[in-house]
Amino acid sequence: MKRKIGSNYEEIITKKEFSLNKAREILSNERIAVLGYGIQGPGQALNLKDNGFNVIIGQRKKSKSWEKAVKDGWIPNETLFEIEEAAEKGSIIMFLLSDAAQIEVWPKIKKFLSPGKGLYFSHGFGLTFKKKTKILPPKEIDIFLVAPKGSGTSLRKLYQEGKGLNSSYAIYQNYTGNAKERALAIGIGIGSAFLFKTTFQQEVYSDLTGERGTLMGAIQGIFSAQYQVLRENGHSPSEAFNETVEELTQSLMPLIAEKGMDWMYENCSTTAQRGALDWWKKFRDINISLFRELYKDVSSGKEAERTISLNRKSNYRELLKKELKEIKNSELWKAGKEIRKLRPY
C-alpha cells in the first residue's frame, strides 16, 4: 500500500497486505537455513520457528553460539548443523554471520548456492562493498534482504510481547521471479511490524551512518560531553547521570517514540520548552558538517575499508576489549551501573 511518509509516497507492507498465512504458503516447500547464531540469528530463527516455518541453524561447533542454540531448543543433527551442512540443506540461506565472518566463510558456502536457491541478508555490507569483501554470488539465485531496525534481542522480545520491529527490504537479484515474495514472507515471518523498500546500497549507507551517528557513536559522545561539563561544575555523579542518561532513556525516549518530539515540546515545562526550542538548531548546525563528513566516508567505502582492515588484524579482539573497557570503566557508566540497580523494577 502506498502511504505518504514525510514528503514522499512509499510502499509500506503490513500484515494486512501480506498476512502470516500467505507467508507460510509461499515458503511451505522451503527449508530456511540460518547461518550464524550471534546477534540477529537467534531472534530471527526463533520467531520463524514459532511462526511455523521450517528452520535449521548453521553454526560452528564448540562455540558459545552453538551452546546457546542448544539451550534455545535446536537439536544437533536434526535442526542444528555445522555451517556448510546447513548451507547445503537449505533452499533459502539466511547469511546472518557478522560482516567479518561472512568474508571468512563465503568461500566455503558459495558452492552450495545451486540454481533457484535464495540468499538472504540483513545487511547490505557484503554485496555493496563486494570488491573489498570478495562476496560474489552466482547469477542463478535469488538475493534479497530484510533488515530489522533494531537488535536481534529487541526483535525477539517485541515478538514475544505481540509487537514487532519495523524492517526494510530489498531485492538484489530476482532469478526465479519470486524474490520479492520470498523476502516479504521472511520479513513477516521474523515478526516485522511493517516493511519498507530500500536497496542494498541505501541500507548499508543509512545503517553505517546511523550506527556511527545518533544510534551509538554520537549519542555516546553527547552523553560523555554533557556528563563531563556537569561534573566539572560540581554536580554529583548521580545527578549528572540522571540529567544526562536516565531521564532521557527511562522517561523521555519512550514518550518521544510513542507521540513524537513535537508532542514532547508541547507537554513539558515552559522553561524546558523555551530552552529546547532555542538550542536545538544550534546543535543541528554544529553537527551537520560532521554528519556530511561521516556520510561521505561511508558512501566512499572508506568506513568499510577500515572495518575490514581492522577485523583482519590478529589482535583485533584484544584491542576491542581495551576500547570497550575504557567506556565501561568511565565514571559515567560506573554511575549508570549503580543507578540501574536502584530502579524499582
Side-chain angles (χ1 to χ4, degrees):
M1 178 182 292
K2 290 280 187 180
R3 299 171 189 260
K4 190 173 184 182
I5 309 292
S7 59
N8 289 357
Y9 281 91
E10 300 183 37
E11 182 186 28
I12 303 294
I13 307 296
T14 71
K15 288 182 181 179
K16 290 182 180 179
E17 292 84 30
F18 203 103
S19 70
L20 184 56
N21 284 336
K22 181 178 179 179
R24 291 192 188 110
E25 182 180 345
I26 288 170
L27 301 181
S28 60
N29 296 319
E30 304 266 23
R31 175 182 281 174
I32 303 168
V34 178
L35 305 190
Y37 206 75
I39 305 301
Q40 281 289 337
Q44 295 198 34
L46 289 168
N47 290 359
L48 284 166
K49 179 184 176 184
D50 288 353
N51 274 331
F53 296 87
N54 183 4
V55 185
I56 60 174
I57 304 298
Q59 180 59 45
R60 294 184 184 90
K61 281 185 178 179
K62 299 179 181 178
S63 67
K64 289 182 179 179
S65 293
W66 178 280
E67 293 171 5
K68 175 174 170 51
V70 172
K71 288 179 181 178
D72 285 347
W74 305 98
I75 303 170
N77 300 318
E78 290 186 23
T79 55
L80 176 60
F81 303 91
E82 287 274 14
I83 288 174
E84 290 180 66
E85 188 174 359
E88 184 177 15
K89 292 178 179 294
S91 59
I92 295 177
I93 296 172
M94 294 177 65
F95 208 21
L96 297 183
L97 295 157
S98 69
D99 294 327
Q102 285 185 14
I103 295 170
E104 178 188 345
V105 168
W106 177 251
K108 299 176 184 178
I109 73 149
K110 65 179 181 181
K111 60 187 174 185
F112 300 116
L113 294 170
S114 53
K117 280 198 174 187
L119 180 61
Y120 167 104
F121 293 83
S122 279
H123 192 24
F125 190 96
L127 294 186
T128 299
F129 302 113
K130 59 187 177 183
K131 290 182 180 179
K132 296 178 173 66
T133 65
K134 309 301 180 187
I135 295 177
L136 303 169
K139 296 187 180 299
E140 298 81 17
I141 63 170
D142 289 345
I143 304 174
F144 45 90
L145 167 153
V146 176
K149 298 299 107 181
S151 70
T153 301
S154 298
L155 183 73
R156 180 62 177 165
K157 182 175 182 289
L158 289 170
Y159 170 81
Q160 291 175 317
E161 293 173 355
K163 303 173 185 177
L165 280 177
N166 306 330
S167 301
S168 60
Y169 78 93
I171 311 304
Y172 188 89
Q173 200 164 272
N174 187 16
Y175 174 74
T176 66
N178 297 315
K180 181 178 178 180
E181 287 71 22
R182 289 168 115 180
L184 294 177
I186 290 183
I188 294 297
I190 65 173
S192 301
F194 70 77
L195 296 117
F196 60 94
K197 189 176 182 181
T198 187
T199 67
F200 273 61
Q201 184 183 83
Q202 292 291 79
E203 190 284 328
V204 74
Y205 286 2
S206 61
D207 191 65
L208 293 186
T209 300
E211 290 166 349
R212 285 148 179 77
T214 58
L215 301 180
M216 295 177 71
I219 198 68
Q220 165 61 12
I222 290 170
F223 282 165
S224 182
Q226 180 171 303
Y227 182 89
Q228 180 178 328
V229 169
L230 290 174
R231 292 288 287 123
E232 287 171 355
N233 284 277
H235 298 271
S236 68
S238 59
E239 184 170 56
F241 185 85
N242 272 282
E243 293 294 348
T244 300
V245 179
E246 194 76 350
E247 186 174 353
L248 174 68
T249 59
Q250 299 304 297
S251 174
L252 302 187
M253 288 308 289
L255 289 171
I256 293 167
E258 181 183 355
K259 298 179 180 294
M261 185 62 82
D262 56 327
W263 183 93
M264 179 57 66
Y265 279 22
E266 278 189 53
N267 289 273
C268 62
S269 71
T270 55
T271 304
Q273 183 183 74
R274 186 65 266 144
L277 289 169
D278 288 346
W279 277 87
W280 81 264
K281 290 181 181 178
K282 294 181 182 181
F283 279 100
R284 178 199 62 190
D285 293 346
I286 202 169
N287 281 292
I288 197 162
S289 62
L290 188 61
F291 274 95
R292 284 172 177 153
E293 178 187 348
L294 168 56
Y295 193 86
K296 183 178 179 181
D297 282 359
V298 167
S299 60
S300 69
K302 186 176 178 180
E303 284 294 311
E305 183 64 46
R306 174 173 167 75
T307 299
I308 293 168
S309 176
L310 288 175
N311 272 280
R312 283 175 174 162
K313 289 183 179 292
S314 59
N315 64 339
Y316 177 68
R317 288 292 169 188
E318 183 181 339
L319 295 172
L320 176 64
K321 285 180 181 178
K322 288 182 180 179
E323 290 182 284
L324 295 178
K325 190 175 181 181
E326 179 186 354
I327 295 174
K328 181 179 181 179
N329 290 339
S330 67
E331 188 186 86
L332 166 64
W333 292 111
K334 281 185 176 179
K337 183 178 180 180
E338 295 306 311
I339 287 169
R340 287 195 295 275
K341 292 177 183 177
L342 297 173
R343 290 175 187 164
Y345 48 87

